Amino acid sequence: MEGVPGMNTVPNPNHYDKSIVLDVKPLRSLRPVFPNGNQGPPFVGGPPFGPSSSSGYSPFFPFGAQQPTQDTPDLNQTQDTPPPSFVPPLRSYRTPTTVSNGPSSSSGAKRGRPKGSGNAKKKDKTVPNEPTLDGQVVKRLSGVFDSGISVAEREDGNGDLVSCVLMRFDAVRRRLSQVEYAKAATAKAAGSLMSNGVRTNMKKRVGTVPGIEVGDIFFSRIEMCLVGLHMQTMAGIDYITSKAGSDEEPLATSVVSAGRYDGEVQDPQSLIYSGQGGNADKNKQASDQKLERGNLALERSLRKGNGVRVIRGEEDPASKTGKIYIYDGLYSISESWVEKGKSGCNTFKYKLVRQPGQPPAFGYWKAVHKWKEGLTARTGLILPDITSGVESKPVSLVNDIDDEKGPSYFTYIPTLKYSETFKIIQNTSGCSCRGSCAPGDLNCSCIRKNGGDLPYLYGVMLVSRRPMIYECGQSCPCYASCKNKVIQTGLKFRMEVFKTANRGWGLRSWDAIRAGSFICEYAGEVKDKGELTMDQEEDEFVFDTSRVYNSFKWNYEPALVDENPSDELSEEFNLPSPLLISAKNFGNVARFMNHSCSPNVLWQPVICEGNGEPVVHIAFFAIRHIPPMAELTYDYGVSLMSEAGDGSLLHGKRQCNCGSLKCRGSFG
């Protein structure tokens, strides 16, 4: 796996100028400062969601926008995520823990984010009389935390920066959720990243956004704000003000369609969008919408003909109130009109038509929904379920490329198969919990082995990579639904084995996969490397932990959650001995995951019981959010003996066809 730019250094707390922060007042004494209307474009910033969940901490507007008025609610808006607030010290929420007998913390130099480009020239700007709070916080913390993102990179991003920012955000969000921030974790994570300058594409623009691809998905509006796709945390219409001769006129940049209305038909190629404002609230009656702000911007974009980014919101099946946002590409506004709404007041309507030549995005969602409901047949379907009912969810076999009827024969098994148990050097014992294991419960031996925390969120999502994860096993009396039993519960997503254009058979999901989510384990026969025959050495279905893998940073940065850098978890695995698994004759869906030099899946060693003995399993988790129908890939690594002519270890036995911009040319 290629490392993500911006991820190789962590600032040393012993080598910064402490005089910079000597006069910093407690957060309780800081008052939010908002810009006046002349300091920025008149777009609507998300209002605070009410009193802060932590008493004494003041919320703030993250984007320096003026406060919106309360009389123009947006018919298309949702309130799934409140705007970010300040992050209270994490230590005040943690349960004190004793020394764990689990994996030790990392030692030596800390891996973090590299500094941004040092030759980026700053634009000459006049310092405003009333600076934004966001700028004050960044300046105040600049002597403590180096975001690794230059001023120029904050204005204009790229694919690596967008991926980096989103990975860092979700890593912090998962950690905050792990220590019982719960619903406030998303807002607090965003507040931490914004305050420390971890964001990109802050320059508002019409058209495409650097580093964001059609079909990318987001699990909160704040994620879209951090990477510049849609700058509003609540309002459905975002826009900029441009010069038109001596006048200024607004132009729409993006809209979020997150609501469903009576009679609305969800057409993947067009969208009927309702204007903002006019809804009745607690204090007044409904009124006609006005041709101002976002409504005026859409009207001007209709005349101008500029493309508008459209983000579609769909319900998140894993959350009762959450949504998944799909970037569906650029649309053109073809017409507008006024009609009477349910309240009897005038409502603006806009028809947006998808521009041709873009890859399917929301169209995939609609197609998958029809497949699941049996409304349409999957083109190229060979078998509806290659697992023959072994898995809780069916796995389809599909070929819409050629006439091949399926992969070579193998027996489907959901977990490891072994003649001799792959034993751990030290014996392990199960916990004595009744019910479910609880985080911070040091009476639970499994929790102690995991450093005092549950390694997973909600029983499906990995919080951080660790040298080793210890799951509850068969000898543990805790419930089968215990949140520390993840890889033993099978597939969580609807999968499809499909024929690729140039890499044989591959694997993808019909469902959206959130970063950190468990995908599957690598099932197969545990082998002794010394027992391999020449034919087996050429086995393309072998997972080998002794290979060299590209290192990368995935875990959260302690400084962003107010933790001591010395407590940072190591991401180097601690295996008692190399593990070799062959899925040639016995295996599961993991045998179909192809290699990529820019993968979207990572592997993590997990110990749980098998045949009454502790056994090391290889579990796969999502590196980042993965849209439906995107191929799932991981880094196969390079064998130690596969040296190139220059002595490097980056030349494998097989040619790589992953197509990544970072392709190293070979693997295995």
Side-chain angles (χ1 to χ4, degrees), residues 569-580:
L569 281 171
S570 171
E571 297 188 51
E572 299 296 326
F573 299 140
N574 183 23
L575 289 159
S577 60
L579 178 62
L580 194 69

Side-chain angles (χ1 to χ4, degrees), residues 195-354:
S195 297
N196 288 285
V198 183
R199 57 193 301 189
T200 188
N201 288 324
M202 291 176 63
K203 182 173 71 177
K204 298 184 74 172
R205 69 199 76 210
V206 172
T208 59
V209 178
I212 299 179
E213 302 292 335
V214 174
D216 284 352
I217 61 174
F218 305 85
F219 282 79
S220 69
R221 290 198 180 212
I222 284 178
E223 287 184 320
M224 296 188 285
C225 295
L226 285 169
V227 296
L229 180 63
H230 186 81
M231 293 290 198
Q232 305 298 325
T233 57
M234 294 181 68
I237 306 172
D238 197 6
Y239 60 93
I240 60 174
T241 301
S242 65
K243 288 284 186 180
S246 59
D247 299 325
E248 292 185 346
E249 65 175 11
L251 289 177
T253 59
S254 58
V255 297
V256 176
S257 174
R260 293 186 177 181
Y261 309 100
D262 292 341
E264 178 184 352
V265 178
Q266 290 190 304
D267 182 355
Q269 298 302 320
S270 66
L271 171 69
I272 305 299
Y273 195 83
S274 299
Q276 61 183 188
N279 283 357
D281 56 25
K282 295 179 181 179
N283 302 318
K284 68 170 191 174
Q285 298 296 319
S287 60
D288 291 341
Q289 290 184 350
K290 299 177 181 179
L291 190 60
E292 60 183 11
R293 299 177 7 176
N295 298 336
L296 180 60
L298 289 172
E299 190 68 29
R300 291 291 185 266
S301 290
L302 167 61
R303 298 183 183 181
K304 188 84 170 178
N306 65 277
V308 177
R309 300 187 295 273
V310 168
I311 300 102
R312 306 263 196 163
E314 287 288 294
E315 294 181 0
D316 182 358
S319 171
K320 294 180 180 179
T321 59
K323 285 189 175 290
I324 303 174
Y325 298 94
I326 310 105
Y327 173 44
D328 203 29
L330 293 179
Y331 280 60
S332 299
I333 305 175
S334 63
E335 58 180 309
S336 67
W337 65 95
V338 177
E339 65 180 44
K340 295 290 185 181
K342 289 183 177 180
S343 64
C345 298
N346 290 332
T347 300
F348 290 107
K349 294 286 185 176
Y350 304 89
K351 183 176 181 180
L352 294 90
V353 179
R354 197 166 192 258

Side-chain angles (χ1 to χ4, degrees), residues 7 24 46 51 63 81 87 102 111 123 131 140 186 279 287 289 301 340 367 405 509 568 581 610 612 620 654-656:
M7 292 188 170
V24 174
F63 307 107
T81 304
V87 184
R111 291 181 297 163
K123 297 180 181 179
R140 176 165 54 81
T186 297
N279 283 357
S287 60
Q289 290 184 350
S301 290
K340 295 290 185 181
K405 296 303 181 183
S509 169
E568 184 174 9
I581 305 172
F620 291 104
R654 294 181 174 87
Q655 179 179 341
C656 181

Side-chain angles (χ1 to χ4, degrees), residues 31 115 207 253 300 308 335 464 475 499 505 513 532 542 609 615 619 623 626:
R31 297 180 59 189
K115 296 181 179 180
T253 59
R300 291 291 185 266
V308 177
E335 58 180 309
S464 300
S475 64
K499 185 66 181 297
W505 297 90
I513 302 177
L532 287 180
V542 166
E609 286 183 44
V615 177
I623 292 178
I626 305 175

Side-chain angles (χ1 to χ4, degrees), residues 357-370:
Q358 301 179 96
F362 185 64
Y364 271 146
W365 287 74
K366 302 304 294 179
V368 167
H369 175 74
K370 291 179 180 179

